[in-house]
Amino acid sequence: MRSRWRKFKESDFLYHFFRDPVAYVSFGILLVLLISAFAAPLVAPHNPYDPTTIDIMDAETPPAWTDTGTRKFLLGTDDMGRDLFSTMLYGMRISIIIGLGAVFLQAFLGIVIGLLSGYIKRLDNILMRIADVQLSFSTYMIAIFIGAVFQTAFGVANYEKIAAPLLIIIIGIAEWPQYARTVRASVLAERKKEYVEAARVIGLPRLRIMWRHILPNTLSPVLVLSTVQVANAIMSEAALSFLGLGMPLLKPSLGSLITAGFEYIFSGSWWITILPGILLVLLILVINLLGDWVRDYLNPKLYKG
Amino acid sequence: MDKLLSIEHLNVDFAMRTGPLRAVNDVSLTVDKGERLGLVGESGAGKSVLGFSIINLISKPGYIQSGRVIFQGTDISSYSDEQIRQVRGNRISMIFQDPMMTLNPVLTIGAQMRETLHAHGSMSEAAATAICLEKLKKVYISSPHKRLSQYPHEFSGGMRQRIVIAISLLTSPALIIADEPTTALDVTIQAEIMDLLLELCKNENMGLLLITHDLAVVSQVTQRIAVMYAGTIVELGPTEEIIHKPQHPYTRGLLGALPQKASGRGRLNQIPGVMPGLAKIPVGCPFSNRCSLVREVCRSTRPTLDAKKSGNQVACHLVDQG
Amino acid sequence: MAAEREEKPPMKTDVLVGIRNLVKHFDISGGWIEQLKLDAGRIRRKKTVVKAVNDISIDIHEGETVSVVGESGCGKSTLARTVMGLYPPQSGEIYYRDQRIDQLSESQLKPFRARMQMVFQDPYASLNPRMIVGDTLREPIRFHNPGISGDELDGKVAAVMEQVGIDPDWQNRYPHEFSGGQRQRISIARALAVDPEFIVADEPIAALDVSIQAQILNLMMDLQAQHGLTYLFISHDLSVVEHISDRVAVMYLGTLCEMASARTLFTSPRHPYTQALLSAIPRLGKAFSHKKLSGDVPTPIRLPDGCVFNTRCTYARERCRRQIPSLIALSNGTRVACHGVEDNWVDA
């Protein structure tokens, strides 16, 4: 009986992983990004949240490699005088937290509803119709609506305090139907299988069958979906921030950085918008590439010669 | 003496991360014009792989490692993709187990039949339709005109298999390879389909390579039988001989395990153990770890398929010895 | 009806499982939108019902093996599952030792579940791919014996694995690490784990190779002798059925055509469908001589009027198209549903 760790080390998964450059390079980059984002307080040369370290006179300094740049600000500063590099790191952290948080919420809601919908026929119709209605509202529309209502009701300052959790909730609730449908499809397929009939023949109660037998067998597509959804959630948050409905300027995410710097592109301070933009693209790209790889790996019909 | 099909020392391997695995090991077979040969074995024996490799249908990670497949005088195992397409579906047709997999559910029967004809020669619409109708009649499908515009889901399993057979007849092939054509069908339909195949092969003088695990079916339709185990042919001979006087211990075990051969209500004669997976085939004779007559020589040397006194070819050290 | 093996005449208490006039239909009409159809210029609601099992009555005696045979679509699998309580019947009764069980709630049914178990056809789908084999075996035992200690549980699991020929050391492996035959053994072990009296086997060897089939059949027969089990064996493989059954029931489109002792059925089948079925079995070395059946198999959605078999029967007459034949008992104990047998115009 080999231990789980040994089994993993010898497994097909690692073997194929190390043979595909796209996989391990993407993973490597993602790891670097994740570590630098979450270790931002240790890694970043400046603290963009501390107003005492920010000098408005430093605003719009170009990156270090240009003529007028300085070593102090590696990638230049933004319009408020914050070190762009540090702000980007902190911003990436927020983007990732919102992305992951939203996906957890989506997945949780989606799995529960998908399970109930697939296994209990009477709930199926109503739950799926609710999902359809939900899907017909675009995420952005809901976000704009909730964001606008909140800001007018409670004021912008209060909004900014709870912006991050609010975004997680909005994006989380907007996208659960994806999960629900995927899980429901799996449940419908698994329900007919004989091991489920065997569980019923033993006399096991419904909830136990759903939890112990069906759920573990529906997780494969959920995993694949999640990788895509994390990227999507980060994108959604960036778009919302770009529209002014996301993270506030004082605690920016990558998206709000891009917004803030957008007006300066024509006046020559291109780095304020472009550099966070590149980082965002890179982050989403590697997540997508890894997600694609996982999906292909889990696809039993594709042979990985 | 021109054989229709001659397979010479064919080896088919599968490339795995731990090295190549041999699925078909040094197989040599012949089929005469109009002859019906049965290829019998259990799942994992390699018979489907063998059937597929005749027309180069095996895909990665499988590949033909060495050996030749000579069809109507030419070695087709070294054909390019373009060349083998002239042969496939044209001079050699293949029938698969599940008719729903062969038939495209979104195309009408007529469309699929015409597609096959157009792939192998140009002709007018009228001529194509005439051929389609003729072949549908040959497989006893009623109202063939109406059928041409119907979709596969409108037919029962047995009728779909008849349509598949009709499609395989469209180009008047010289050889049909049938891979478990009736396994998915009910017993009464199975009987009809096998009857049909037998009649067609006799009338059209087509060769038939029937791949199956069902010994009873093969005993009624074929003239010769090749028994396959773990990638090798272990016995080859006329059907009558193999069924009534099997010589290889595996063939004997297989026939003996049938319920028809059990005495009264007693236990069935079982062969202990399981057929080894490709990676675990024993050195020497592949059957050595399950054979009740095993000797030292069996474990060290692989027996070759040789003609024995009885006239059959058997791959066993112990036949014709004392 | 005289059971093949017992000497004494059957008493009511001998019947372990009684199936009386069982009817099971499936309504596949769909939602109300899908039911709307244009018919003769008017929109009507059309119900589509699959009449899978129509009025089946079978008594299964303790210790015997009753086989149900028929081709695909005949309803034998549905019958098996209805008897096991997986589907609620439309009408009819199911008795277990004279207690009616078809209308019980899940909690009332629980004690019966330990006595009636099932083995399924597909060795690849009948075990949860994400549970180790040991847990698959522990689950039913723990469920039916809530107070059982860990040691006792492990002991039982090891014992039942040995009984079916699987090394108990392998209980921490996943199903995909076993071969088809081994998985089927594990399925049998799961059924056996709760000490049942009655086992329904739905095509248990159909998906296995010939040489493994023999092993599994031998195992099942050995277990029957050791534990005094009663089997309801569903199969389409008539040669296997001939070998292991005491009595055989032949089904066609949800109806019972003929039921007789195995020996009688295979030597002198009376129903035209049984005759055609038996003649179609390929026999080693004997030439084909099967009775051709005309026409296509009708669908269980639109059953023919009268006798379900009349559209393909070579003996069919007017009466067969109008009147459903009732099950009559012949002198040798066989029950047949056929006008032709009743009135003697079908050859024996």
Side-chain angles (χ1 to χ4, degrees):
Chain A
M1 286 185 304
R2 302 171 307 199
S3 74
R4 285 204 179 176
W5 179 242
R6 265 193 65 201
K7 267 195 175 177
F8 179 70
K9 279 203 289 189
E10 292 170 11
S11 72
D12 256 355
F13 181 80
L14 276 189
Y15 176 78
H16 285 112
F17 186 75
F18 287 116
R19 282 187 103 219
D20 189 350
V22 172
Y24 59 75
V25 168
S26 305
F27 185 69
I29 296 180
L30 183 63
L31 211 54
V32 166
L33 292 179
L34 282 176
I35 292 178
S36 44
F38 285 96
L42 305 168
V43 169
H46 299 97
N47 182 351
Y49 295 157
D50 186 353
T52 56
T53 59
I54 302 174
D55 187 355
I56 193 76
M57 297 305 289
D58 290 324
E60 297 190 54
T61 320
W65 61 82
T66 57
D67 301 330
T68 41
T70 68
R71 293 281 291 277
K72 188 174 171 213
F73 301 117
L74 266 178
L75 296 180
T77 59
D78 67 0
D79 57 325
M80 287 200 268
R82 293 181 294 200
D83 172 34
L84 201 57
F85 182 55
S86 314
T87 320
M88 274 164 54
L89 286 182
Y90 277 83
M92 183 165 61
R93 184 172 73 163
I94 293 188
S95 295
I96 293 176
I97 289 178
I98 294 180
L100 286 178
V103 166
F104 275 129
L105 184 57
Q106 295 171 7
F108 177 74
L109 278 178
I111 290 176
V112 168
I113 296 180
L115 260 184
L116 290 174
S117 194
Y119 201 71
I120 303 178
K121 265 216 180 111
R122 272 176 302 146
L123 294 177
D124 188 22
N125 237 337
I126 183 90
L127 286 175
M128 282 300 107
R129 297 294 82 80
I130 294 178
D132 286 343
V133 168
Q134 170 90 55
L135 278 173
S136 57
F137 291 108
S138 96
T139 310
Y140 299 147
M141 199 175 95
I142 298 179
I144 292 172
F145 184 73
I146 296 185
V149 162
F150 203 88
Q151 284 189 8
T152 8
F154 297 102
V156 179
N158 278 325
Y159 175 80
E160 291 184 357
K161 271 196 226 149
I162 58 155
L166 194 62
L167 279 172
I168 290 179
I169 292 177
I170 291 174
I171 301 177
I173 294 187
E175 302 266 332
W176 67 257
Q178 291 262 43
Y179 280 92
R181 281 184 172 181
T182 308
V183 170
R184 173 180 175 272
S186 283
V187 171
L188 288 177
E190 295 298 307
R191 208 175 67 171
K192 296 198 172 86
K193 295 214 175 133
E194 291 166 342
Y195 70 84
V196 174
E197 286 187 315
R200 291 177 62 201
V201 159
I202 294 174
L204 298 176
R206 245 184 350 192
L207 276 175
R208 187 184 158 93
I209 295 181
M210 279 199 277
W211 172 256
R212 190 80 181 75
H213 288 275
I214 299 195
L215 181 60
N217 286 295
T218 58
L219 291 181
S220 219
V222 165
L223 182 61
V224 172
L225 185 60
S226 298
T227 52
V228 170
Q229 289 294 92
V230 168
N232 277 345
I234 296 178
M235 268 300 297
S236 298
E237 181 277 315
L240 287 175
S241 299
F242 191 76
L243 293 174
L245 290 160
M247 295 305 295
L249 286 177
L250 287 179
K251 275 201 176 170
S253 65
L254 288 178
S256 37
L257 274 181
I258 297 174
T259 310
F262 198 64
E263 7 186 289
Y264 295 90
I265 242 191
F266 298 107
S267 62
S269 308
W270 53 269
W271 58 91
I272 309 180
T273 248
I274 301 287
L275 293 179
I278 293 179
L279 185 59
L280 183 63
V281 166
L282 185 63
L283 177 63
I284 298 201
L285 182 64
V286 293
I287 294 179
N288 271 322
L289 286 175
L290 269 180
D292 273 355
W293 183 85
V294 168
R295 187 199 64 215
D296 284 348
Y297 174 77
L298 288 177
N299 184 349
K301 298 205 179 89
L302 270 187
Y303 177 70
K304 300 146 279 247
Chain B
M1 255 293 286
D2 252 346
K3 299 273 177 194
L4 177 65
L5 177 73
S6 177
I7 304 174
E8 291 173 7
H9 300 289
L10 190 66
N11 284 308
V12 178
D13 285 351
F14 277 76
M16 307 304 283
R17 62 186 239 212
T18 39
L21 285 180
R22 183 139 293 181
V24 173
N25 195 326
D26 196 25
V27 164
S28 300
L29 275 183
T30 59
V31 180
D32 282 330
K33 255 184 84 126
E35 185 184 23
R36 300 181 300 279
L37 174 67
L39 184 57
V40 175
E42 296 175 295
S43 51
K47 44 190 206 303
S48 288
V49 175
L50 179 58
F52 283 23
S53 28
I54 295 176
I55 43 176
N56 219 337
L57 261 187
I58 16 163
S59 40
K60 278 192 179 166
Y63 60 94
I64 298 180
Q65 196 264 350
S66 64
R68 305 197 299 164
V69 177
I70 305 186
F71 178 68
Q72 288 177 334
T74 354
D75 180 7
I76 59 174
S77 58
S78 52
Y79 265 18
S80 68
D81 274 350
E82 194 46 51
Q83 289 169 307
I84 195 79
R85 261 202 290 270
Q86 307 294 334
V87 177
R88 253 190 236 152
N90 191 6
R91 292 188 285 147
I92 303 183
S93 282
M94 193 148 178
I95 299 174
F96 300 92
Q97 176 175 337
D98 189 348
M100 230 23 221
M101 303 274 266
T102 322
L103 294 174
N104 187 334
V106 301
L107 291 179
T108 60
I109 304 300
Q112 297 186 51
M113 292 183 89
R114 279 188 279 269
E115 186 182 54
T116 310
L117 283 173
H118 289 310
H120 295 291
S122 52
M123 58 184 74
S124 65
E125 273 307 303
T129 311
I131 298 182
C132 294
L133 291 174
E134 179 204 333
K135 303 300 176 183
L136 283 178
K137 286 201 194 94
K138 281 220 166 98
V139 298
Y140 301 107
I141 289 198
S142 53
S143 3
H145 249 299
K146 197 173 91 170
R147 306 296 186 185
L148 284 181
S149 45
Q150 288 184 318
Y151 289 89
H153 69 262
E154 301 181 57
F155 297 91
S156 67
M159 293 204 68
R160 283 183 218 155
Q161 201 62 308
R162 285 175 194 272
I163 291 170
V164 168
I165 295 177
I167 294 180
S168 70
L169 292 176
L170 283 172
T171 49
S172 305
L175 174 68
I176 291 194
I177 303 177
D179 188 5
E180 309 266 15
T182 54
T183 308
L185 303 172
D186 282 326
V187 123
T188 46
I189 312 292
Q190 173 176 291
E192 290 172 24
I193 299 290
M194 290 318 304
D195 249 1
L196 178 64
L197 266 181
L198 185 57
E199 181 191 317
L200 286 170
C201 286
K202 282 189 183 161
N203 292 351
E204 316 279 326
N205 202 19
M206 289 186 307
L208 176 67
L209 178 62
L210 178 62
I211 303 176
T212 178
H213 65 274
D214 192 333
L215 289 159
V217 160
V218 93
S219 75
Q220 297 189 326
V221 170
T222 58
Q223 296 156 312
R224 282 194 307 144
I225 296 181
V227 180
M228 208 162 166
Y229 182 84
T232 28
I233 307 275
V234 297
E235 192 161 0
L236 176 61
T239 303
E240 280 297 306
E241 293 286 317
I242 303 269
I243 296 294
H244 295 292
K245 296 194 224 119
Q247 297 191 283
H248 192 282
Y250 174 64
T251 321
R252 287 196 171 158
L254 208 56
L255 285 163
L258 293 176
Q260 301 160 18
K261 300 284 182 134
S263 48
R265 298 288 304 281
R267 299 179 103 237
L268 300 169
N269 308 312
Q270 62 186 53
I271 313 179
V274 212
M275 175 154 62
L278 290 187
K280 299 207 179 87
I281 300 181
V283 174
C285 174
F287 192 58
S288 55
N289 62 343
R290 298 172 75 191
C291 185
S292 49
L293 305 168
V294 65
R295 304 275 164 80
E296 225 9 79
V297 61
C298 306
R299 285 192 241 269
S300 56
T301 337
R302 172 176 274 270
T304 48
L305 194 66
D306 303 316
K308 304 289 180 188
K309 276 193 279 208
S310 60
N312 291 4
Q313 293 182 44
V314 189
C316 180
H317 296 299
L318 306 175
V319 173
D320 280 352
Q321 273 190 11
Chain C
M1 283 187 63
E4 195 66 1
R5 289 211 201 107
E6 327 246 301
E7 260 92 48
K8 51 186 183 343
M11 302 190 296
K12 197 153 174 263
T13 47
D14 260 348
V15 174
L16 188 65
V17 175
I19 304 169
R20 304 279 154 75
N21 305 108
L22 198 64
V23 174
K24 178 66 195 156
H25 292 166
F26 293 102
D27 187 340
I28 56 169
S29 315
W32 61 270
I33 289 190
E34 285 113 335
Q35 288 180 28
L36 298 177
K37 295 230 180 332
L38 203 55
D39 183 17
R42 288 182 54 192
I43 297 186
R44 290 174 198 279
R45 275 180 73 171
K46 188 164 154 214
K47 267 177 122 30
T48 321
V49 177
V50 176
K51 304 193 181 70
V53 174
N54 301 304
D55 197 11
I56 303 268
S57 301
I58 299 178
D59 279 342
I60 305 173
H61 300 267
E62 199 165 355
E64 72 170 337
T65 300
V66 171
S67 293
V68 177
V69 299
E71 299 178 294
S72 45
C74 72
K76 54 194 196 299
S77 283
T78 309
L79 176 67
R81 284 167 169 75
T82 313
V83 167
M84 288 304 298
L86 287 173
Y87 303 140
Q90 249 63 34
S91 67
E93 297 118 37
I94 303 173
Y95 293 91
Y96 191 84
R97 288 195 190 282
D98 299 329
Q99 279 181 285
R100 194 159 163 196
I101 60 170
D102 54 287
Q103 289 181 326
L104 298 180
S105 69
E106 264 309 311
S107 50
Q108 291 169 314
L109 206 47
K110 188 171 165 184
F112 292 97
R113 294 267 187 226
R115 298 195 251 165
M116 305 165 68
Q117 275 298 313
M118 192 160 174
V119 175
F120 299 87
Q121 173 175 354
D122 186 349
Y124 297 89
S126 43
L127 297 174
N128 186 338
R130 305 261 182 208
M131 265 172 88
I132 54 173
V133 153
D135 284 342
T136 300
L137 295 176
R138 267 182 278 270
E139 191 175 32
I141 306 177
R142 207 187 280 128
F143 184 68
H144 287 282
N145 302 289
I148 195 171
S149 73
D151 285 338
E152 236 189 296
L153 189 57
D154 288 337
K156 268 186 180 260
V157 167
V160 81
M161 282 179 85
E162 274 175 3
Q163 282 222 311
V164 299
I166 302 274
D167 186 350
D169 280 339
W170 289 1
Q171 53 173 283
N172 288 321
R173 296 197 183 185
Y174 287 92
H176 68 259
E177 302 183 60
F178 293 91
S179 72
Q182 288 173 314
R183 278 185 237 198
Q184 205 62 324
R185 289 173 191 267
I186 295 170
S187 288
I188 295 175
R190 175 178 55 194
L192 219 51
V194 294
D195 285 326
E197 301 171 321
F198 176 63
I199 292 189
V200 173
D202 186 5
E203 308 260 22
I205 55 173
L208 304 171
D209 279 325
V210 166
S211 55
I212 311 295
Q213 286 187 6
Q215 292 179 11
I216 301 296
L217 271 180
N218 282 341
L219 173 65
M220 288 183 75
M221 296 203 294
D222 288 344
L223 290 171
Q224 182 176 37
Q226 285 165 22
H227 295 269
L229 296 169
T230 306
Y231 282 143
L232 177 62
F233 199 88
I234 312 286
S235 182
H236 67 275
D237 189 340
L238 292 154
S239 38
V240 165
V241 161
E242 186 178 4
H243 185 77
I244 62 160
S245 323
D246 293 309
R247 289 188 298 142
V248 181
V250 179
M251 276 180 77
Y252 183 82
L253 280 186
T255 316
L256 191 57
C257 295
E258 184 168 358
M259 182 153 187
S261 73
R263 193 179 308 141
T264 314
L265 192 96
F266 283 90
T267 47
S268 42
R270 299 305 304 275
H271 195 286
Y273 177 61
T274 318
Q275 293 173 346
L277 200 60
L278 290 177
S279 72
I281 311 175
R283 293 281 183 188
L284 260 194
K286 295 209 195 95
F288 264 129
S289 60
H290 73 278
K291 293 189 171 182
K292 274 194 182 343
L293 292 174
S294 51
D296 281 328
V297 184
T299 116
I301 295 176
R302 245 188 329 264
L303 291 179
D305 293 325
C307 172
V308 284
F309 189 56
N310 82 69
T311 56
R312 301 175 75 201
C313 184
T314 40
Y315 297 99
R317 295 191 186 176
E318 195 46 46
R319 185 175 169 206
C320 305
R321 286 182 261 274
R322 286 181 293 110
Q323 194 186 7
I324 300 179
S326 44
L327 212 54
I328 52 167
L330 302 178
S331 51
N332 60 358
T334 306
R335 290 192 290 155
V336 195
C338 177
H339 295 303
V341 173
E342 202 179 335
D343 296 341
N344 259 311
W345 30 268
V346 166
D347 310 323

